[in-house]
Amino acid sequence: MEKTFETALKDLEIIVKKLESGNIPLENAITEYTEAMKLVKYCSEKLNSATEQVNKTLSENGELKEFSLKEETDD
Protein backbone atom coordinates (compact mmCIF):
# COMPACT_ATOMS: atom_id res chain seq x y z
CA MET A 1 0.00 0.00 0.00
CA GLU A 2 1.35 3.39 -1.00
CA LYS A 3 1.81 6.07 1.64
CA THR A 4 -0.36 9.13 1.53
CA PHE A 5 1.24 12.54 1.27
CA GLU A 6 0.12 13.30 4.81
CA THR A 7 1.64 10.10 6.21
CA ALA A 8 4.93 10.71 4.42
CA LEU A 9 5.03 14.28 5.69
CA LYS A 10 4.35 13.13 9.26
CA ASP A 11 7.12 10.52 8.99
CA LEU A 12 9.46 13.21 7.68
CA GLU A 13 8.63 15.48 10.62
CA ILE A 14 9.43 12.65 13.05
CA ILE A 15 12.80 12.04 11.41
CA VAL A 16 13.65 15.75 11.44
CA LYS A 17 12.90 15.92 15.18
CA LYS A 18 15.14 12.91 15.82
CA LEU A 19 17.98 14.44 13.82
CA GLU A 20 17.56 17.86 15.45
CA SER A 21 17.73 16.32 18.91
CA GLY A 22 21.36 15.37 18.38
CA ASN A 23 20.82 12.26 20.53
CA ILE A 24 21.17 9.77 17.70
CA PRO A 25 24.27 7.74 16.82
CA LEU A 26 25.96 8.68 13.56
CA GLU A 27 25.10 5.41 11.82
CA ASN A 28 21.43 5.84 12.71
CA ALA A 29 21.52 9.50 11.69
CA ILE A 30 22.79 8.53 8.24
CA THR A 31 20.03 5.94 7.87
CA GLU A 32 17.39 8.41 9.04
CA TYR A 33 18.76 11.13 6.75
CA THR A 34 18.61 8.76 3.77
CA GLU A 35 15.01 7.88 4.59
CA ALA A 36 14.18 11.57 4.98
CA MET A 37 15.56 12.32 1.50
CA LYS A 38 13.37 9.54 0.05
CA LEU A 39 10.35 11.06 1.80
CA VAL A 40 11.22 14.56 0.54
CA LYS A 41 11.42 13.22 -3.02
CA TYR A 42 8.10 11.38 -2.62
CA CYS A 43 6.35 14.45 -1.19
CA SER A 44 7.80 16.68 -3.89
CA GLU A 45 6.56 14.34 -6.63
CA LYS A 46 3.10 14.20 -5.05
CA LEU A 47 2.94 18.01 -4.83
CA ASN A 48 4.07 18.40 -8.43
CA SER A 49 1.44 15.91 -9.57
CA ALA A 50 -1.28 17.68 -7.61
CA THR A 51 -0.18 21.03 -9.03
CA GLU A 52 -0.42 19.67 -12.57
CA GLN A 53 -3.90 18.31 -11.89
CA VAL A 54 -5.07 21.61 -10.43
CA ASN A 55 -3.65 23.54 -13.37
CA LYS A 56 -5.76 21.60 -15.85
CA THR A 57 -9.48 21.94 -16.25
CA LEU A 58 -11.99 20.46 -18.63
CA SER A 59 -13.26 22.79 -21.31
CA GLU A 60 -16.91 22.74 -22.35
CA ASN A 61 -16.22 20.15 -25.06
CA GLY A 62 -14.46 17.82 -22.60
CA GLU A 63 -10.88 18.57 -23.60
CA LEU A 64 -8.20 19.29 -21.02
CA LYS A 65 -6.84 22.80 -21.09
CA GLU A 66 -4.42 24.72 -18.94
CA PHE A 67 -5.95 26.65 -16.08
CA SER A 68 -4.70 30.11 -15.40
CA LEU A 69 -5.81 32.86 -13.11
CA LYS A 70 -6.22 36.27 -14.63
CA GLU A 71 -4.97 38.99 -12.37
CA GLU A 72 -7.52 41.63 -11.62
CA THR A 73 -6.47 45.19 -12.10
CA ASP A 74 -7.87 48.20 -10.29
CA ASP A 75 -8.59 50.53 -13.19
Side-chain angles (χ1 to χ4, degrees):
M1 184 172 166
E2 187 174 319
K3 283 185 185 241
T4 65
F5 174 82
E6 292 78 10
T7 302
L9 190 58
K10 187 175 221 166
D11 291 348
L12 183 57
E13 290 172 349
I14 291 168
I15 291 171
V16 168
K17 286 180 183 177
K18 284 182 194 177
L19 293 172
E20 287 179 340
S21 76
N23 297 326
I24 184 169
L26 179 60
E27 294 80 17
N28 292 3
I30 292 169
T31 302
E32 293 288 345
Y33 179 82
T34 302
E35 181 63 22
M37 290 299 96
K38 290 177 186 176
L39 290 168
V40 166
K41 183 177 186 267
Y42 175 82
C43 288
S44 178
E45 289 171 354
K46 284 290 190 182
L47 284 175
N48 287 338
S49 176
T51 299
E52 287 176 16
Q53 289 176 351
V54 168
N55 286 337
K56 292 184 178 179
T57 58
L58 288 177
S59 65
E60 290 180 16
N61 62 3
E63 292 180 16
L64 285 175
K65 66 178 186 176
E66 290 296 316
F67 174 78
S68 63
L69 291 174
K70 294 180 182 177
E71 290 189 28
E72 295 182 25
T73 56
D74 295 329
D75 292 45

